[in-house]
Amino acid sequence: MTVDPDPKQTSTRVPGLMPDVPRQGGFGPLTDGAWSSKPYHHAAASWGAAQSVGRILLRQRELGRGTHSMFVMNHPTGYDCPGCAWPDDTKLTLDFCENGVKHVTWEMTPKRVRPEFFQTHSVTELADWTDYDLENQGRLTEPMVYDPDTDHYEPISWQAAFDLIGAELRALDDPNQASFYTSGRLSNEATFLYQLLAREYGTNNLPDCSNMCHEASGRALTASIGTGKGTCDLADWEEADALFILGVNAASNAPRMLTALADATRRGATVVHINPLVEVGSTKTIVPHEMVDMALFKATATSKMNIQVRPGGDLALLRGMATVVFEAAETDPTALDQTFLTDYTAEFEAYRALVAATSWAEITEQAGLPEAEIRRAGEIYLKSEKTIISWCLGVTQHEHGVDSAREIVNLLLLRGNIGRPGAGPSPVRGHSNVQGNRTCGIDHRPSETFLARLDEVCGITSPRQHGLDTVTTVEGMHDGSVKVFVGMGGDFVMAAPDTTHTAAGLRSCELTVQVSTKLNRSHLVHGHKAVILPCLGRTEKDLRAAGPQGVTVEDAMSMVHISVGKRRPASANLLSEPAIIAGIAAATLPNSATPWQWYVEDYDRIRDVMARVLPGFDGFNDLIKPRGGFRIPQPARQRVFLTPSGRAEFSLAPLPDVIPTDSDVLVLQTMRSHDQWNTTIYSNNDRYRGIRNLRELIFLNEADMAARGLTEGDFVDITATSKDGSLRTVRRFRALRYDLPKGSAAGYMPEMNALIGIADYSTQSDQPLMKNVQVRVRPSTD
Ligand SMILES: Nc1nc2c(c(=O)[nH]1)N[C@H]1C(S)=C(S)[C@@H](COP(=O)(O)OP(=O)(O)OC[C@H]3O[C@@H](n4cnc5c(=O)[nH]c(N)nc54)[C@H](O)[C@@H]3O)O[C@H]1N2
Ligand SMILES: Nc1nc2c(c(=O)[nH]1)N[C@H]1C(S)=C(S)[C@@H](COP(=O)(O)OP(=O)(O)OC[C@H]3O[C@@H](n4cnc5c(=O)[nH]c(N)nc54)[C@H](O)[C@@H]3O)O[C@H]1N2
Ligand SMILES: [Mo]
């Protein structure tokens, strides 16, 4: 099957597959500026970042207010940056980064999308706009409902919108015909109410962005150490003497991590980056908040070693490092932490045998690295007393993501690097509260313990049948079993894989509901009935009956703290997410005993009930009073492993073969540029990779370019072969030379999501294979 759009069928248009629409720059702003690509030689987060912040504040006409907002961001009395999940450093008076500032100003823009906007522009017309232009219209101001007769969105009152949604949900034959998506922005309080609504209504269909993000990490850590989270906090990062960073582009996606990496290097710790690309944050940086260094161009090194692993080759590399440890243990009794292994782990001998049975030939071939380089990494690990291993999407969005994350834990266990200061596994989460969402019940496979507690405290009977995740929700839309889709934040059609297929799924729904701050593609690719519900952003004052409210979030290191918005809301007619959820719930469950409205008058009441349901939240309202909040107990940090054996369990995964059998096939990874937040694209530039005015590009190794007769900037067509044999093509992307391993390629999400078949997900984690797309690249024919 070749999925090609029919250019005449405008109503089915989706970006990425609109060859008749002249575009330059992908889904970013249309531009007539020339594209360029040249190597970037400066430090990460230096003056380029400062200038970029200035430009963005100016463009959003926010210089005065934007600057003030930076000072209260991530401050104990202010709001939590709605960007990434990196923890706040309470020792810093200024704790923000270029990308956090972009993110906040994007939310604080004075531009507004009012009902007149929808009167002027039909949905079919808007479908031809770029995603940048859609979001750049500013903040949504009123609830809107789609009118199929006019093809326009019309204003609707909040109550009428809730009634419409309630009536549709009540009319379904089975609660499992509805699916409730969450993007990781949602606060803990909103999350808790949202999952309560889904479960009281009768379904565990709670897909979330984690299904595309860190599902693999959660499953791996649960299997290995009994809890699905990392065990480190910032103090550990400050103490470690070796840090291995796998598959994360820190300078763009977790910029405040640069501070920790630069500090580590300054105090003599060794930082090793493992990534097919040498990302700029992995060489040198100017620490984001250190203005004086910025003025003096004083860059600090952030890395001792850059290892350009083959895509998906991390497991082999880690296994090679384990081999080095076992070899050393033959002569050095301190190489293994024998006491820890005996007292706290299971399956150690089986793992030792597995490592012994894996040959260096296999390891080097699968890792795509020479033995000497792997040995060097192993030696660094052996020399270190306290090691942290951190990872992000480069590890998780692969077929063997769970096995690779478990191999990380295996390696740590060998030397007892868990449950003591300065050591442990430390996944870098994505959205600012994605980890909190899981803690508070967003999980399509909830545990019996959680459900039993929820039922007891909330007086409901939760369904026990596991629900749908992101991929199976799309499949359900196609086979007719999912009829109502509720998107609590996010931009589902652009974030999910297989753009045309996902779009067709959404269009077949009876009803789509999007709770959003800004206009996006998911509002235009909608069901037969469609509602847009505009909500308050994290920076805005949330005034309820009992007064101004704060919400809580959990960072990537399990710290929970309060976030209080201070700004005047973008419109008087916005509601908070908890209030919207309560409104939908009251209309959907008229006989509910849950005091929905009472809860959202005062969020302390929501927290009181959460305190009784969630482990570690006892006394929640008091726990969040101290500056910085509280840490959720992580038993594995105390060497209490809640696994079936009661011990940390070594995994015994065979080395996967990650090399395509056909040498014409390249392994493509889809990643973020420096100037985007997932589906939100701020510009067509990718400063640290030296790109200007271009997003429809594919980075290729020089040898792979030559083999295909390509020169710099040539147009290519890219065809992906799905697991089910179907083919998907995107056309006229520019081929650019880049320093990445032969046989691999890289380009940007969401432009390339059209290449990822819905069948292409990992059998271990159910995560779409966003870093492992099997593609062929040819010069464009037209
Ligand atoms: N500014 C900004 N910040 C963000 C986001 C954003 O869009 N913009 N998104 C947020 C979200 S939701 C998330 S989940 C995170 C994502 O943070 P990242 O994981 O950094 O996201 P990606 O841009 O997908 O980059 C993946 C990195 O993994 C590397 N990689 C690819 N394949 C492999 C492999 O096989 N092995 C190894 N070792 N490395 C590999 C890539 O070269 C790249 O450096 O960032 C969060 N923070
Ligand atoms: N090919 C490919 N695809 C990927 C990935 C990849 O690496 N490669 N990464 C995946 C990952 S890790 C993730 S997390 C997903 C991201 O998937 P999502 O979380 O679904 O997408 P976002 O782009 O973060 O969502 C942006 C929208 O959120 C809304 N929004 C912003 N702030 C708020 C708020 O405070 N409240 C509400 N209700 N709405 C708000 C705005 O309307 C905005 O348009 O994408 C996934 N898709
Ligand atoms: Mo993510």
Side-chain angles (χ1 to χ4, degrees):
M1 172 182 85
T2 302
V3 183
D4 256 351
D6 176 356
K8 285 175 247 61
Q9 260 186 301
T10 47
S11 65
T12 61
R13 273 203 191 131
V14 254
L17 298 165
M18 302 194 302
D20 54 329
V21 179
R23 281 196 323 265
Q24 193 189 339
F27 309 150
L30 288 174
T31 172
D32 37 27
W35 66 273
S36 63
S37 162
K38 51 178 181 253
Y40 182 85
H41 293 298
H42 311 287
S46 57
W47 272 109
Q51 282 170 351
S52 160
V53 169
R55 271 197 305 275
I56 286 154
L57 292 175
L58 270 178
R59 204 164 53 207
Q60 297 295 324
R61 285 178 273 131
E62 272 297 329
L63 208 48
R65 282 182 290 175
T67 321
H68 172 257
S69 292
M70 282 191 248
F71 286 89
V72 291
M73 189 193 312
N74 295 332
H75 202 268
T77 60
Y79 62 89
D80 185 65
C81 176
C84 76
W86 188 257
D88 303 339
D89 190 336
T90 45
K91 296 187 294 304
L92 301 174
T93 44
L94 273 180
D95 188 16
F96 61 85
C97 73
E98 173 197 1
N99 278 349
V101 172
K102 278 187 214 163
H103 212 52
V104 167
T105 47
W106 194 245
E107 176 176 304
M108 295 190 316
T109 174
K111 300 177 195 170
R112 297 288 178 266
V113 177
R114 299 186 203 284
E116 303 83 73
F117 171 87
F118 291 107
Q119 232 163 38
T120 316
H121 305 288
S122 70
V123 168
T124 304
E125 183 205 329
L126 291 172
D128 273 351
W129 291 26
T130 70
D131 294 73
Y132 173 86
D133 284 334
L134 295 175
E135 284 215 19
N136 196 35
Q137 299 314 305
R139 291 286 300 277
L140 297 161
T141 53
E142 307 279 332
M144 305 296 293
V145 62
Y146 180 67
D147 180 348
D149 294 334
T150 61
D151 188 35
H152 285 259
Y153 273 101
E154 308 281 350
I156 183 172
S157 72
W158 279 104
Q159 195 51 54
F162 294 148
D163 290 344
L164 185 159
I165 299 164
E168 286 290 324
L169 286 171
R170 276 183 283 121
L172 294 179
D173 303 330
D174 179 341
N176 291 316
Q177 291 175 335
S179 190
F180 296 88
Y181 175 71
T182 318
S183 160
R185 272 300 179 88
L186 214 58
S187 66
N188 289 331
E189 291 74 6
T191 302
F192 184 80
L193 291 185
Y194 192 51
Q195 61 84 34
L196 183 61
L197 159 63
R199 295 193 166 114
E200 186 172 338
Y201 171 65
T203 184
N204 284 311
N205 289 349
L206 287 161
D208 66 348
C209 67
S210 254
N211 298 148
M212 301 181 264
C213 197
H214 271 290
E215 188 78 45
S217 309
R219 293 197 193 179
L221 292 169
T222 304
S224 292
I225 59 170
T227 30
K229 299 177 184 179
T231 62
C232 300
D233 61 17
L234 267 190
D236 294 315
W237 277 69
E238 285 163 11
E239 246 188 81
D241 47 34
L243 292 130
F244 291 86
I245 315 289
L246 285 75
V248 47
N249 175 14
S252 298
N253 297 331
R256 289 179 299 143
M257 183 203 269
L258 297 177
T259 310
L261 295 180
D263 284 350
T265 314
R266 281 182 201 151
R267 64 164 201 275
T270 308
V271 181
V272 179
H273 285 270
I274 296 167
N275 197 315
L277 273 56
V278 180
E279 304 282 23
V280 67
S282 68
T283 50
K284 55 187 174 178
T285 184
I286 289 183
V287 174
H289 64 269
E290 290 183 1
M291 299 298 173
V292 179
D293 282 359
M294 208 176 257
L296 298 173
F297 287 96
K298 252 173 53 192
T300 310
T302 51
S303 161
K304 182 72 139 247
M305 199 176 170
N306 266 290
I307 301 181
Q308 287 184 270
V309 69
R310 178 198 291 288
D314 301 80
L315 205 165
L317 166 63
L318 296 158
R319 182 75 45 95
M321 291 168 68
T323 308
V324 174
V325 174
F326 281 114
E327 284 175 9
E330 287 169 19
T331 51
D332 174 3
T334 66
L336 294 167
D337 186 339
Q338 206 54 65
T339 319
F340 173 79
L341 290 165
T342 311
D343 293 352
Y344 292 104
T345 70
E347 297 292 336
F348 168 64
E349 286 305 332
Y351 181 66
R352 186 206 291 271
L354 178 74
V355 174
T358 318
S359 72
W360 273 109
E362 279 174 89
I363 289 172
T364 54
E365 192 192 9
Q366 292 300 326
L369 298 163
E371 184 179 327
E373 199 172 349
I374 302 176
R375 283 190 178 279
R376 268 216 311 282
E379 294 300 332
I380 292 173
Y381 180 54
L382 269 175
K383 278 207 193 82
S384 154
E385 286 302 314
K386 302 170 199 165
T387 302
I388 286 178
I389 306 186
S390 178
W391 69 96
C392 198
L393 302 182
V395 169
T396 60
Q397 292 180 332
H398 277 286
E399 183 69 55
H400 307 282
V402 174
D403 285 346
S404 301
R406 291 200 67 183
E407 196 75 9
I408 288 174
V409 179
N410 287 348
L411 188 60
L412 289 169
L413 294 179
L414 291 181
R415 294 178 47 75
N417 276 307
I418 189 164
R420 59 183 172 85
S426 191
V428 184
R429 302 279 167 172
H431 268 293
S432 54
N433 198 36
V434 63
Q435 188 161 313
N437 290 175
R438 278 285 160 109
T439 303
C440 300
I442 301 296
D443 191 346
H444 61 289
R445 309 186 319 153
S447 69
E448 176 55 33
T449 324
F450 174 81
L451 293 181
R453 196 88 199 107
L454 181 71
D455 288 1
E456 190 194 322
V457 175
C458 297
I460 64 167
T461 309
S462 296
R464 267 29 189 193
Q465 184 192 336
H466 283 177
L468 300 175
D469 65 3
T470 296
V471 168
T472 47
T473 290
V474 175
E475 284 171 344
M477 290 169 178
H478 277 272
D479 68 25
S481 58
V482 171
K483 296 181 191 306
V484 173
F485 176 85
V486 182
M488 190 56 63
D491 186 358
F492 190 76
V493 72
M494 298 310 290
D498 212 346
T499 318
T500 22
H501 191 71
T502 298
L506 283 161
R507 287 196 172 104
S508 70
C509 287
E510 292 297 328
L511 170 69
T512 49
V513 178
Q514 302 289 349
V515 178
S516 316
T517 49
K518 291 230 175 162
L519 185 63
N520 66 37
R521 187 71 47 189
S522 295
H523 303 135
L524 311 175
V525 179
H526 56 76
H528 302 303
K529 293 182 184 162
V531 179
I532 304 174
L533 303 178
C535 65
L536 293 173
R538 182 110 28 106
T539 55
E540 288 165 337
K541 191 168 189 167
D542 183 0
L543 194 57
R544 306 292 307 160
Q549 301 295 313
V551 292
T552 60
V553 291
E554 174 184 343
D555 66 30
M557 299 186 194
S558 307
M559 291 297 300
V560 177
H561 61 90
I562 193 103
S563 169
V564 186
K566 299 265 165 78
R567 289 171 57 93
R568 191 151 58 98
S571 145
N573 206 12
L574 300 182
L575 283 183
S576 70
E577 284 153 337
I580 293 172
I581 295 162
I584 296 175
T588 307
L589 307 163
N591 303 320
S592 172
T594 306
W596 294 101
Q597 289 308 328
W598 183 78
Y599 276 155
V600 297
E601 282 169 10
D602 181 347
Y603 300 169
D604 279 0
R605 297 169 183 166
I606 313 175
R607 285 187 282 269
D608 279 339
V609 70
M610 293 170 78
R612 293 165 58 210
V613 175
L614 305 172
F617 281 66
D618 218 3
F620 192 7
N621 275 310
D622 292 326
L623 289 175
I624 54 177
K625 282 184 187 138
R627 183 187 161 102
F630 71 103
R631 174 179 239 290
I632 302 173
Q634 157 56 302
R637 200 174 151 82
Q638 269 71 50
R639 298 193 164 176
V640 173
F641 300 109
L642 305 177
T643 56
S645 64
R647 290 160 170 266
E649 298 194 4
F650 278 94
S651 67
L652 304 170
L655 268 202
D657 186 353
V658 297
I659 307 169
T661 39
D662 184 340
S663 62
D664 189 36
V665 172
L666 304 175
V667 178
L668 168 79
Q669 61 143 322
T670 57
M671 59 189 187
R672 292 145 182 79
S673 76
H674 183 65
D675 254 5
Q676 76 183 82
W677 178 271
N678 299 334
T679 65
T680 300
I681 294 151
Y682 305 115
S683 90
N684 300 317
N685 304 336
D686 191 2
R687 175 160 16 96
Y688 297 145
R689 299 193 185 105
I691 302 297
R692 284 187 69 80
N693 284 327
L694 189 63
R695 287 186 54 87
E696 288 163 303
L697 62 75
I698 181 165
F699 291 127
L700 297 171
N701 176 285
E702 197 158 17
D704 291 323
M705 300 258 301
R708 287 159 186 76
L710 298 170
T711 52
E712 185 78 350
D714 279 358
F715 281 120
V716 291
D717 295 345
I718 308 163
T719 300
T721 308
S722 166
K723 279 187 181 180
D724 64 11
S726 60
L727 303 177
R728 285 162 185 75
T729 300
V730 296
R731 302 189 198 287
R732 294 181 73 74
F733 275 52
R734 287 193 191 270
L736 299 181
R737 210 178 309 115
Y738 205 82
D739 178 10
L740 40 68
K742 189 167 171 307
S744 68
Y748 299 127
M749 59 113 16
E751 284 86 343
M752 283 181 160
N753 289 30
L755 287 170
I756 306 170
I758 199 71
D760 297 331
Y761 57 88
S762 157
T763 51
Q764 304 188 337
S765 65
D766 303 323
Q767 271 193 241
L769 302 178
M770 288 157 167
K771 297 286 184 279
N772 187 346
V773 195
Q774 311 267 316
V775 298
R776 287 168 209 272
V777 177
R778 298 271 176 277
S780 290
T781 43
D782 46 9

